[in-house]
Amino acid sequence: MPDKIQRIMIDAGFTCPNRDGSAGRGGCTYCRNDSFAPHYCRTTRDIARQISQGKKFFSRKYPHMKYHAYFQSYSSTYAPVSQLRQIYQTALSQPDIAGLVIATRPDCLSDDTLDLLYELSLQTHVEIEIGVESCHDKTLTRINRGHTWQQTADAIQRAASRHLDICAHLILGLPGEDESDIIQSAHQISLLPVTSVKLHQLQILRGTKIAEEYALHPQDFLPFPTPQDYITTLRKFLKALRPDIKVRRIVSTAPPEILIAPRWGLKPDEIRRMIDM
Ligand code: SF4
């Protein structure tokens, strides 16, 4: 029987071109990286230590687990290729690490970086999670993504030409988008060689630019979808999606102390059960 695989999140200290001024400043309006980082994931700890802490955390429940090193924070290909090689090799050399999952932006996937990922993919599992968020340039501008849809489509094509496993991350319900925009994103993604998607609802988190926009102009965001509204839109999105594309996630829940809206008060499992009904 194949080993169970669990992802261990790693913060390797990357930053993001949409924060340091190369592509933009201030970051995407909704971005708050600490909303999904687990306690064992800190830049003050080295990669080997984060992995051993993560393994300790998960192995209590599943003693015979294998792991993927999950570089999720910020833009995890935003460094020179020589440095990236060292970072990824350090993770791969840890016991029980059976592959890499690397989250990044479309404009941080140069041909040289993709060549490195291809080389690693010949030895181990390599998956790239690309922040797409929306297929509409008007939305990408509004949320200050600092790249265009064309850049996303181009990065996905170049990654696929190296046979890499590509997951597209999208947020459903971004400001200014109605249901037909969201469904159009499903059609656009379906035209590209992605292997999976990761989806979740828009969440407004404390300390973000979008939280300031919401406080100043709440009418631009209202009405927030109820769980049932979200599920209805999600079903339509999934119906429009190419059937071979795997769906890795459909909802996200930020810690209640930083979540402003929507406050559904439901756990991800409860929402998944509602979808199955
Ligand atoms: S690209 Fe990612 S890390 Fe950078 S600002 Fe946007 S959401 Fe944050």
Side-chain angles (χ1 to χ4, degrees):
M1 208 169 103
D3 289 314
K4 261 182 164 318
I5 300 277
Q6 175 68 49
R7 292 177 173 190
I8 294 183
M9 279 192 213
I10 296 170
D11 186 338
F14 291 107
T15 175
C16 167
N18 203 20
R19 289 180 169 274
D20 70 7
S22 329
R25 286 221 179 264
C28 307
T29 57
Y30 55 84
C31 174
R32 184 167 163 164
N33 267 262
D34 65 350
S35 67
F36 49 75
H39 67 86
Y40 58 79
C41 184
R42 301 277 186 275
T43 51
T44 49
R45 295 180 186 161
D46 65 21
I47 289 172
R49 184 152 170 74
Q50 287 180 56
I51 289 175
S52 83
Q53 293 287 318
K55 280 172 62 179
K56 207 183 282 177
F57 177 78
F58 289 115
S59 63
R60 276 183 225 134
K61 213 166 164 190
Y62 308 106
H64 301 295
M65 184 78 86
K66 293 281 183 208
Y67 300 92
H68 286 164
Y70 185 18
F71 292 88
Q72 188 183 27
S73 295
Y74 295 99
S75 301
S76 298
T77 55
Y78 187 42
V81 171
S82 57
Q83 200 180 326
L84 293 175
R85 180 185 292 279
Q86 201 184 3
I87 289 170
Y88 303 150
Q89 290 288 14
T90 301
L92 287 172
S93 64
Q94 305 308 307
D96 300 320
I97 294 296
L100 300 172
V101 181
I102 298 166
T104 192
R105 293 165 51 89
D107 55 352
C108 288
L109 286 168
S110 68
D111 283 341
D112 287 347
T113 299
L114 288 170
D115 287 344
L116 168 66
L117 298 179
Y118 170 67
E119 185 192 317
L120 294 171
S121 76
L122 299 176
Q123 307 155 25
T124 190
H125 171 87
V126 176
E127 181 178 338
I128 325 176
E129 211 173 272
I130 301 183
V132 173
E133 318 315 349
S134 168
C135 299
H136 302 283
D137 282 337
K138 63 168 187 179
T139 311
L140 297 175
T141 302
R142 180 156 177 185
I143 60 174
N144 194 38
R145 276 294 292 178
H147 66 77
T148 62
W149 162 243
Q150 187 48 48
Q151 283 173 284
T152 303
D154 174 64
I156 290 173
Q157 293 287 11
R158 286 184 297 107
S161 72
R162 291 161 174 86
H163 311 289
L164 292 166
D165 192 343
I166 304 160
C167 176
H169 179 273
L170 288 107
I171 301 175
L172 306 190
L174 285 165
E177 291 203 347
D178 60 18
E179 198 171 79
S180 79
D181 292 318
I182 294 171
I183 292 164
Q184 218 184 321
S185 281
H187 287 301
Q188 291 295 321
I189 281 292
S190 299
L191 295 173
L192 292 170
V194 304
T195 39
S196 61
V197 289
K198 207 167 167 183
L199 313 167
H200 64 80
Q201 78 282 21
L202 173 66
Q203 297 186 101
I204 298 199
L205 306 180
R206 285 186 208 292
T208 59
K209 181 80 179 40
I210 208 168
E212 288 170 28
E213 291 173 12
Y214 178 56
L216 285 173
H217 305 289
Q219 69 282 2
D220 289 358
F221 295 84
L222 298 174
F224 261 107
T226 62
Q228 202 50 57
D229 293 335
Y230 176 68
I231 288 166
T232 301
T233 305
L234 178 69
R235 284 201 175 114
K236 290 182 187 172
F237 181 98
L238 296 177
K239 202 167 167 210
L241 197 66
R242 214 175 62 231
D244 64 288
I245 297 178
K246 292 187 213 94
V247 181
R248 293 206 179 280
R249 172 185 272 191
I250 49 170
V251 70
S252 183
T253 46
E257 60 277 15
I258 61 167
L259 179 64
I260 296 175
R263 293 185 67 94
W264 290 340
L266 295 167
K267 296 195 172 104
D269 273 356
E270 291 174 300
I271 295 177
R272 276 191 285 272
R273 273 200 296 278
M274 287 170 75
I275 290 167
D276 292 339
M277 275 162 32

